[in-house]
Amino acid sequence: MQQQINAVWEQLSRELAAASDTAGLEQIRVAYLGKKGQITGLLKGLQKVSVEEKKTLGQLINQLKRRAEESIVQTQERLAAEELERKVLSAEKYDVSLPSAEKKGSYHPITLVQRDLEDIFHSMGFNVEDFSEIVDDFACFESLNIPKHHPARDMQDTYYLENGQLLKTHTSAAQNSIMRKYGAPLRAIFPGRCFRNESIDACHENTFFQMEGMMIDEDISISNLIYFMKTMLSEVFQRDVSVRLRPGFFPFVEPGFELDVNCQICGGSGCPSCKHSGWLELCPCGMIHPNVLRYGGIDTDKYTGFAFGLGLTRLAMMKYGISDIRDFNSGSLKSLSQFSAK
Ligand code: DAH
């Protein structure tokens, strides 16, 4: 019987070493330790031996049983680790044509607002134009009726390159070349990044986004301007908004206005965000100055037009309730990844 015990152990050891999955291991366990298993059989066989042999053999068989149980547990652990590894490996195999299961990136809040506006204006027949961030003095100032030494330049200090070009201070810098490119009639918007030499705080940045728009045609009046602004803002905020115009001075429009929208936070009743006025300043605009049209090669006897310069950064702050402008350029994914497209 002792030989039989050794043989059972050797056979079990071989089978355990060869076991390749947990289902197979369970079969081995039943074959040895189950009710009709080999080791259980050995224990039952003890009934037939003498009392003396029972003592020594009993010890051996119990020892065998313990070792068998321990080895099965060890094999179980080995197989579980192997199975896990197989799973990880198969997950690592990837197919370039499949979309990633990982969390995808998200759009920057300014991109989201910009795309919204592009869709809205596109549906109203406006072209969407792209324009360089580096421009010359003529584009940024002269063609906009801001000659050298004009005090309006003081508000738009910027960064100059050694060749005399500069980083555009406003999207209006594209007006001239877009007029020259398309002539009249014209409907275009041109979003873009702008730069100013500003001291930075929660409300001021040296790098920010605007979206300029122009509409030039016969008989364009302030009513058209109000209509387009109101429609656009109602779409952006997804509700009917009220707007009001206040006089504002910009050398490239005459008359020029500051367009306010009723405060979207309190609805117009007055709150800290609108400094209790019920209105938020949103979009300077006006009727394009004849000098500017002329610089653009437009016949001022036939055509008039309006222009507006929407602060995209400001609009994104309002839309998403972002109180610190520095968040936009922070590169902090923690705050920027909270925005997603609709
Ligand atoms: N370019 C001006 C700025 O950044 C904003 C502006 C005012 C644009 C009036 C316009 C306009 O088109 O009509 O300060």
Side-chain angles (χ1 to χ4, degrees):
M1 196 158 183
Q2 192 154 351
Q3 272 175 353
Q4 213 184 332
I5 292 170
N6 287 344
V8 168
W9 170 246
E10 272 164 29
Q11 193 193 345
L12 172 64
S13 302
R14 271 197 305 276
E15 286 184 31
L16 287 179
S20 60
D21 56 32
T22 44
L25 178 67
E26 177 59 11
Q27 278 176 7
I28 298 172
R29 193 192 65 76
V30 172
Y32 287 85
L33 296 169
K35 265 190 202 151
K36 292 178 187 159
Q38 292 196 45
I39 297 176
T40 321
L42 287 174
L43 280 168
K44 280 183 191 157
L46 283 177
Q47 290 164 355
K48 292 177 202 149
V49 298
S50 67
V51 182
E52 231 123 279
E53 274 182 320
K54 203 180 259 179
K55 213 177 162 194
T56 43
L57 287 175
Q59 263 179 5
L60 288 174
I61 298 171
N62 274 323
Q63 217 175 39
L64 169 69
K65 192 179 171 199
R66 231 176 300 122
R67 283 166 77 192
E69 283 166 349
E70 277 168 17
S71 296
I72 287 173
V73 170
Q74 280 164 11
T75 310
Q76 169 76 46
E77 284 167 2
R78 168 176 68 81
L79 293 176
E82 282 173 10
E83 272 166 28
L84 184 71
E85 199 175 304
R86 271 200 297 277
K87 261 191 213 151
V88 171
L89 279 180
S90 69
E92 265 174 16
K93 264 187 238 143
Y94 66 92
D95 177 343
V96 283
S97 65
L98 288 178
S100 160
E102 293 295 306
K103 187 182 178 310
K104 297 195 193 90
S106 55
Y107 287 108
H108 193 282
I110 293 183
T111 307
L112 293 174
V113 173
Q114 180 179 328
R115 289 192 177 180
D116 253 8
L117 285 167
E118 286 177 3
D119 285 348
I120 296 165
F121 277 103
H122 206 241
S123 73
M124 297 194 289
F126 283 69
N127 283 349
V128 181
E129 294 290 319
D130 199 12
F131 196 67
S132 169
E133 289 172 354
I134 298 175
V135 296
D136 58 19
D137 189 89
F138 179 77
C140 204
F141 301 120
E142 295 271 341
S143 67
L144 291 165
N145 211 23
I146 313 177
K148 301 233 171 0
H149 313 300
H150 191 291
R153 288 196 182 209
D154 291 351
M155 269 137 35
Q156 304 203 7
D157 187 15
T158 186
Y159 304 92
Y160 286 81
L161 310 187
E162 278 169 4
N163 65 5
Q165 287 187 303
L166 49 114
L167 299 186
K168 73 170 184 261
T169 57
H170 52 177
T171 40
S172 311
Q175 282 196 13
N176 186 265
S177 72
I178 289 170
M179 279 187 241
R180 294 210 161 266
K181 184 170 168 192
Y182 293 105
L186 167 68
R187 288 182 193 196
I189 52 163
F190 25 111
R193 182 159 35 190
C194 304
F195 307 86
R196 284 187 201 177
N197 182 14
E198 295 271 4
S199 334
I200 297 172
D201 60 27
C203 309
H204 298 89
E205 250 290 9
N206 54 24
T207 307
F208 54 94
F209 287 79
Q210 292 186 339
M211 179 180 279
E212 190 92 359
M214 270 191 307
M215 180 170 181
I216 301 172
D217 209 331
E218 292 176 38
D219 301 325
I220 295 292
S221 70
I222 296 170
S223 319
N224 299 106
L225 169 65
I226 295 174
Y227 168 81
F228 276 96
M229 294 295 100
K230 199 165 148 36
T231 309
M232 177 268 288
L233 292 171
S234 301
E235 284 288 328
V236 170
F237 292 108
Q238 294 287 302
R239 64 178 90 135
D240 203 24
V241 300
S242 315
V243 296
R244 73 171 186 188
L245 293 180
R246 285 179 293 119
F249 175 71
F250 306 93
F252 35 94
V253 279
E254 181 58 41
F257 307 104
E258 290 286 357
L259 183 135
D260 300 338
V261 60
N262 63 322
C263 179
Q264 294 304 301
I265 292 155
C266 64
S269 54
C271 70
S273 297
C274 59
K275 297 192 189 104
H276 301 284
S277 71
W279 295 95
L280 290 167
E281 191 178 312
L282 192 63
C283 178
C285 53
M287 300 305 293
I288 304 175
H289 195 289
N291 287 351
V292 175
L293 290 172
R294 262 181 239 120
Y295 272 127
I298 307 281
D299 178 356
T300 50
D301 290 332
K302 193 162 172 205
Y303 296 107
T304 48
F306 66 76
F308 59 88
L310 190 64
L312 269 190
T313 302
R314 201 185 162 89
L315 193 59
M317 287 173 86
M318 249 157 95
K319 184 160 176 184
Y320 294 112
I322 299 169
S323 55
D324 193 327
I325 196 171
R326 291 167 292 195
D327 285 346
F328 290 111
N329 294 340
S330 68
S332 154
L333 292 179
K334 208 168 149 207
S335 48
L336 294 175
S337 61
Q338 293 169 32
F339 305 94
S340 55
K342 339 179 244 192

